[in-house]
Amino acid sequence: MTSSPNNPSHADTTPDLHIDEVHPRIARLVARGRKDLPTEQIALGEAVGRILAADVLSPVSVPPHDNAAMDGYAFSGAALQSAAAELDLRVVGKARAGAPWTGQLGPGEALRIMTGAVMPQGADTVVPQELCQPQADRVRFDRLRVVAGAHCRKAGEDLRAGGLALAAGTRLTPAALGLLASLGQAEVNVRRRLRVAVLSTGDELLQPGEPPRVGAIYDSNRTTLSALVRSLGLAPLHLGPVPDRADALAAALTDAGRHADVVISSGGVSVGEADHTRSALAASGELAFWHVAMRPGRPFAAGVLTGDAGAPLPFFGLPGNPVAAMVSFLVFVRPALLQLAGCGAAEAVAPLLVRARTSRALRKRPGRTEYQRAVLRRVPGALPVVDVALNQSSAVLSAMVAADALVVLPHDQGNVDAGEEVDVLLLNTLF
């Protein structure tokens, strides 16, 4: 018998979803559960990773005035039209950053100028000092080595006053915060952090710090997933380990619905007698799908819970094996969380894949997408080479620690020969 999504059974024979079907289904869940998070005004120094709540218009032009891009001599580029091979100009003063020269240059005159200093009236070009032969109050240089307008930053070259500096939904990176600082802003209006409930299930789980016992393992998933959530600038809520009992899981999900904006669990989404996640989700919400044609990470469930005041609350049930949980998070949950947090669509898409050559043959069965842990090596003048880990067990977290990339082998791909090109997902773009 094939069970329906809302009546899961241990005999479920529903075919695994192709990975290309998963993203649009998750997008529909996100659309149902997305809400406008409250906003708050915080200091720039506390805003890295936060989501901008409103457009920022530049109150000033950046830079606010024409300025020198190099140390050298400022002069009028019209002088370069001279027939002489060398220009010989009279130096009439000096300007430093923060200490502008207030005169006006005339024909045949130049101003000693430092990087960042305001360009004087009558000048639009800077000749770098290393091209010059200064002597007393004059400077000489080869005019053919300079072009009109060189090394002069124009006012508003970066941003014009009144123009859009950053759009609402931008995730505030160090560069974005630097841009806001360049506008004179000390604070920024951001969305409240998305609250992500993180729980793990299993009677066998010990928490770090507890004494070991026979048959038990330490729960690494809650720590890993919480760290991933925090790396996105979001707020993980630790709802504790949940024993393998349907009533305990139902109570944990109800509690999550009162406090969180989205719920992530790990474990309990397979077909064992103690795997209650699917049935609990179906009882207190809606199960959209629960297994994907991928490795690692096949038992991946998604749906919506009934949250506070009846609002739909997105739910993601990840596998219990540590690597499978992490890969499922990076591939599916990460972009969904960023959208729920208020990011624009461009901010929440999965990173681009790069091409590399595998250093050894890879075994692959058609019919599922595989993510294989690997280390990428740069090769001068050629495609990088990727060394795939020999042990791809979804329980071996140490191989994930050593990896800086995931080789992505598509659904219909078979075995790969050594030296063949493959797609690679760079892990450092995801954290």
Side-chain angles (χ1 to χ4, degrees):
M1 179 183 73
T2 300
S3 59
S4 69
N6 288 315
N7 184 29
S9 161
H10 295 316
D12 196 325
T13 58
T14 306
D16 293 357
L17 277 179
H18 190 294
I19 197 169
D20 290 343
E21 300 176 79
V22 176
H23 291 290
R25 294 195 185 203
I26 290 179
R28 289 194 289 271
L29 294 178
V30 167
R32 291 177 59 187
R34 188 168 182 171
K35 58 187 177 182
D36 286 334
L37 299 175
T39 65
E40 56 184 341
Q41 197 83 3
I42 63 173
L44 286 190
E46 300 172 358
V48 66
R50 300 294 293 272
I51 311 301
L52 191 62
D55 290 349
V56 175
L57 303 182
S58 181
V60 296
S61 290
V62 181
H65 42 66
D66 292 0
N67 67 92
M70 297 190 72
D71 290 354
Y73 295 85
F75 66 101
S76 172
L80 297 172
Q81 298 175 10
S82 169
E86 272 193 338
L87 286 182
D88 185 349
L89 305 176
R90 186 168 69 93
V91 180
V92 296
K94 181 184 292 186
R96 295 185 176 88
W101 186 74
T102 56
Q104 179 166 347
L105 293 183
E109 294 181 336
L111 181 76
R112 180 77 169 108
I113 198 164
M114 307 302 169
T115 302
V118 176
M119 292 288 286
Q121 293 186 50
D124 59 7
T125 305
V126 174
V127 54
Q129 62 184 14
E130 55 268 27
L131 301 182
C132 296
Q133 302 170 36
Q135 187 175 11
D137 63 348
R138 304 196 71 83
V139 63
R140 297 170 59 192
F141 56 90
D142 182 349
R143 70 174 180 84
L144 296 179
R145 300 185 68 182
V146 187
V147 296
H151 309 301
C152 173
R153 302 189 189 105
K154 295 295 184 181
E157 185 177 284
D158 190 358
L159 292 170
R160 291 283 183 185
L164 180 66
L166 291 173
T170 298
R171 188 164 169 243
L172 294 174
T173 61
L177 293 175
L179 180 63
L180 292 175
S182 77
L183 305 180
Q185 290 199 200
E187 296 184 330
V188 60
N189 190 24
V190 297
R191 294 287 177 191
R192 189 255 291 158
R193 293 182 192 272
L194 188 77
R195 296 176 300 210
V196 183
V198 181
L199 55 93
S200 47
T201 65
D203 290 337
E204 76 280 13
L205 297 180
L206 292 172
Q207 297 312 298
E210 293 182 347
R213 72 171 189 267
V214 175
I217 59 172
Y218 286 105
D219 177 13
S220 64
N221 283 354
R222 203 149 53 93
T223 297
T224 301
L225 295 172
S226 295
L228 286 168
V229 168
R230 193 175 292 108
S231 75
L232 299 179
L234 313 180
L237 302 181
H238 298 279
L239 298 189
V242 181
D244 281 326
R245 299 196 322 271
D247 62 332
L249 182 56
L253 294 180
T254 299
D255 186 40
R258 287 195 293 263
H259 300 98
D261 303 304
V262 59
V263 180
I264 300 174
S265 74
S266 66
V269 290
S270 190
V271 293
E273 291 182 3
D275 293 331
H276 302 296
T277 300
R278 293 183 298 121
S279 56
L281 177 61
S284 59
E286 177 185 332
L287 177 64
F289 61 88
W290 75 275
H291 43 191
V292 180
M294 67 182 289
R295 181 176 183 261
R298 177 180 179 268
F300 171 75
V304 290
L305 297 167
T306 301
D308 197 26
L313 189 75
F315 171 88
F316 301 101
L318 309 185
N321 279 323
V323 177
M326 193 171 182
V327 170
S328 297
F329 180 97
L330 295 174
V331 174
F332 300 125
V333 181
R334 179 185 182 275
L337 293 183
L338 289 175
Q339 290 181 59
L340 289 165
C343 275
E347 297 278 347
V349 297
L352 293 175
L353 302 176
V354 300
R355 297 291 282 177
R357 294 189 185 278
T358 178
S359 62
R360 66 180 185 86
L362 307 177
R363 296 180 63 184
K364 164 70 166 62
R365 186 179 71 196
R368 65 188 182 192
T369 302
E370 291 194 11
Y371 296 85
Q372 300 195 5
R373 283 149 282 172
V375 175
L376 196 67
R377 289 187 283 121
R378 289 180 172 82
V379 178
L383 284 177
V385 170
V386 64
D387 300 317
V388 175
L390 293 175
N391 191 340
Q392 291 293 325
S393 167
S394 60
V396 179
L397 194 55
S398 59
M400 196 70 173
V401 174
D404 61 8
L406 295 174
V407 172
V408 183
L409 302 177
H411 187 89
D412 296 326
Q413 174 76 55
N415 292 335
V416 178
D417 292 331
E420 276 194 55
E421 291 187 21
V422 290
D423 285 328
V424 176
L425 184 61
L426 302 179
L427 288 174
N428 62 4
T429 65
L430 300 173
F431 305 148

